[in-house]
Amino acid sequence: MKTAHLTPDQLDAQVSHLHDTAVWQDIITGWERTAPEAPLPPKPGPEPRSKSHSKSHSGSVDGSPARAMPHGQAEARGSADWRNLLSVPVEQLIEESVRALPTSPPRERRLPGRLGAVLPERLHGWRRIGQPDVRPSTHLGYARQILVEWGWQNTPYRLRNARGARCICGALLTAHRLGYGSLDTVDRAGAWLITELRSQGWTDLIGPWNRHPGRTAADALSLLDATIRRAAREGH
C-alpha cells in the first residue's frame, strides 16, 4: 500500500477540492432527499349498522352466515394496509436505519510511545504492511487518538513540532502512515472535516481553523468528535 508524502497544507487543498466536487455534495446532501410521498388511500366512511347487525355478530345483515376471510388473504390485506401508510419505500427505511447505527469501534492497536512521536514519518511505513482499509470515521478516531497521546499544535505549515505534537491535518497523515486507512480514506476523512466546519459557519480550510488565534486542543478534539459522529451517521 502506498504512503502519503504530503504536507498538511497540500492535504488541506486536496480535501477542499474533493469537498467542492458534485459527487461529494451529492454524498452529504442525498440523505435529506426522500421519495415522493405516496398518496394515502381514501378512508372508508362509516358503514350503516342495522338493528339485526347490532344484535348479532355471528351472521350477516341479511341473516345468512358470514364468511370468514381466509387467514392468508387477511394477512396479505393487513400487510398492504400498513405499507400504504408509508411515505417512503420500506427498503429506504431499512437503509436509513442501518446507516444510523454507530460504526463499529476500531480494532485496538496501541500507538508507538513518545519516542515514536518524534521519529521521522518514513520509519513508520512498515506498520502499513497487510493492514486493511478503514472507514473515514474510524480513521478520524485514530487521528483523535494521535492528538490525545502525542499532543496538538498549531504552528503554521508544520506537520508537527519538536515534541512530536501534530496539527489536525498532520494527525490525519500520521494515522495513514501508521497503517490506519488508505490515501483515499485520508481525503474522505478530510472532506468530512470540512463538511463539519461548513456546518459550523467556517468557510476557510482546516489549516487556518487549526491555527486561528485562541484555538485550543479541546477545540480540535471537539471538532473531530463532531465529524466522527457526522461521518458515522452517514455510514462512512
Side-chain angles (χ1 to χ4, degrees), residues 159-226:
L159 172 69
R160 64 185 187 183
N161 60 18
R163 296 181 293 104
R166 266 70 170 172
C167 62
I168 291 181
C169 286
L172 295 180
L173 290 170
T174 298
H176 164 71
R177 290 164 181 169
L178 290 176
Y180 309 121
S182 63
L183 289 175
D184 180 62
T185 302
V186 177
D187 288 343
R188 289 185 290 139
W192 278 115
L193 276 166
I194 292 182
T195 301
E196 178 60 32
L197 286 175
R198 294 293 184 271
S199 74
Q200 297 181 12
W202 182 264
T203 58
D204 209 339
L205 301 181
I206 303 170
W209 183 93
N210 188 87
R211 53 182 176 261
H212 191 269
R215 194 71 67 202
T216 65
D219 294 335
L221 295 179
S222 294
L223 174 63
L224 284 171
D225 288 338

Side-chain angles (χ1 to χ4, degrees), residues 115-130:
L115 177 61
V118 299
L119 287 175
E121 296 287 324
R122 64 180 181 276
L123 297 182
H124 296 302
W126 64 270
R127 294 174 62 91
R128 294 199 52 76
I129 298 175

Side-chain angles (χ1 to χ4, degrees), residues 49-194:
R49 297 171 60 87
S50 63
K51 294 182 179 181
S52 59
H53 181 74
S54 60
K55 292 181 180 179
S56 173
H57 298 282
S58 59
S60 61
V61 176
D62 58 2
S64 61
R67 295 184 179 180
M69 182 179 294
H71 178 71
Q73 293 182 16
E75 184 177 350
R77 180 177 177 181
S79 175
D81 289 344
W82 70 260
R83 286 176 183 269
N84 289 335
L85 298 177
L86 299 177
S87 60
V88 296
V90 177
E91 293 76 11
Q92 182 176 339
L93 291 175
I94 296 174
E95 180 182 352
E96 292 178 355
S97 299
V98 171
R99 286 165 52 187
L101 294 175
T103 183
S104 56
R107 183 163 53 93
E108 290 295 331
R109 290 180 61 206
R110 295 186 61 183
L111 296 179
R114 290 299 308 169
L115 177 61
V118 299
L119 287 175
E121 296 287 324
R122 64 180 181 276
L123 297 182
H124 296 302
W126 64 270
R127 294 174 62 91
R128 294 199 52 76
I129 298 175
Q131 292 302 321
D133 202 357
V134 297
R135 291 184 180 184
S137 56
T138 303
H139 177 84
L140 288 162
Y142 283 116
R144 185 189 193 282
Q145 185 180 359
I146 289 169
L147 295 186
V148 170
E149 296 188 20
W150 289 0
W152 169 84
Q153 61 94 19
N154 60 351
T155 304
Y157 313 112
R158 294 283 300 277
L159 172 69
R160 64 185 187 183
N161 60 18
R163 296 181 293 104
R166 266 70 170 172
C167 62
I168 291 181
C169 286
L172 295 180
L173 290 170
T174 298
H176 164 71
R177 290 164 181 169
L178 290 176
Y180 309 121
S182 63
L183 289 175
D184 180 62
T185 302
V186 177
D187 288 343
R188 289 185 290 139
W192 278 115
L193 276 166
I194 292 182

